[in-house]
Amino acid sequence: MKAGYLQVYTGTGKGKTTAAFGTAMRSVLHGGRVFFAQFIKMSETAELLVPDHFSNFTIMQFGEGFFLDREPTEDDRRLAEEGFSKCLAVMSSGEYDLVVMDEVNVAIHYGLLDPATVVAAIESRAPGTEVICTGRNAPPELIEAADLVTEMRKIKHYFDKGVRAREGIEY
């Protein structure tokens, strides 16, 4: 029963990447091939270690880091477009069972990618290819096209008390 649905994880709460990663690990452990693209991120996340243990998991990062204290640059735009181009090729190939575009919603929100182009690419994917898009501010076009949308809502977060991202928990 390989339908190839589109899932979107969005909202201000913690857990979007974690949910996508958990689904990716389930797929890998059942023998599925996973392509995990991280937009905007450029850091030593634990996800980067997975290919050392599972040959059916591929991960690539396309970014220079989050825009917490700066505006996106032309390099950010170029890297997002490069990442999207790679994801388009992967989704079209039929070689992967699951394609995760982590933080693609943020890339769209900041104008690095066009939402209509992203939706069209997802809709033209190979039959049976599941796609997960994560990040805050999912565009309405993506939400409309999705088969499943989950919004993570922040109620309380230790980051607000000054706790920074922790190895093994947030990265």
Side-chain angles (χ1 to χ4, degrees):
M1 295 187 42
K2 199 151 160 14
Y5 292 114
L6 169 58
Q7 302 181 32
V8 175
Y9 305 151
T10 193
T12 60
K14 178 182 175 349
K16 298 172 289 291
T17 297
T18 302
F21 186 68
T23 302
M25 287 298 91
R26 283 182 175 159
S27 182
V28 163
L29 292 169
H30 281 283
R33 291 188 40 93
V34 174
F35 184 83
F36 203 100
Q38 292 187 312
F39 288 84
I40 300 169
K41 294 178 179 176
M42 182 51 74
S43 60
E44 293 297 319
T45 62
E47 296 93 299
L48 295 174
L49 302 174
V50 175
D52 295 345
H53 304 279
F54 297 98
S55 61
N56 53 337
F57 183 91
T58 302
I59 185 167
M60 297 179 80
Q61 291 183 329
F62 302 97
E64 293 190 336
F66 282 104
F67 319 124
L68 296 177
D69 56 357
R70 66 180 179 84
E71 291 295 315
T73 65
E74 280 307 310
D75 278 344
D76 292 314
R77 183 175 318 286
R78 178 184 54 75
L79 288 167
E81 289 173 358
E82 179 183 307
F84 178 68
S85 178
K86 179 65 177 177
C87 289
L88 175 59
V90 166
M91 287 187 291
S92 301
S93 74
E95 293 178 28
Y96 289 86
D97 301 292
L98 173 62
V99 176
V100 176
M101 292 191 283
D102 187 32
E103 303 295 355
V104 73
N105 300 342
V106 176
I108 293 169
H109 177 74
Y110 279 96
L112 303 179
L113 297 172
D114 175 63
T117 303
V118 172
V119 169
I122 292 168
E123 289 177 344
S124 69
R125 70 191 180 274
T129 303
E130 191 93 3
V131 175
I132 299 175
C133 297
T134 76
R136 295 173 180 229
N137 303 307
E141 300 93 329
L142 191 60
I143 290 171
E144 178 64 30
D147 300 291
L148 178 152
V149 178
T150 297
E151 181 177 7
M152 274 56 163
R153 183 172 61 94
K154 182 179 92 165
I155 296 171
K156 189 176 186 179
H157 197 305
Y158 41 78
F159 181 81
D160 297 331
K161 294 180 181 179
V163 177
R164 304 300 296 175
R166 298 168 298 148
E167 183 178 341
I169 302 297
E170 281 83 27
Y171 70 93

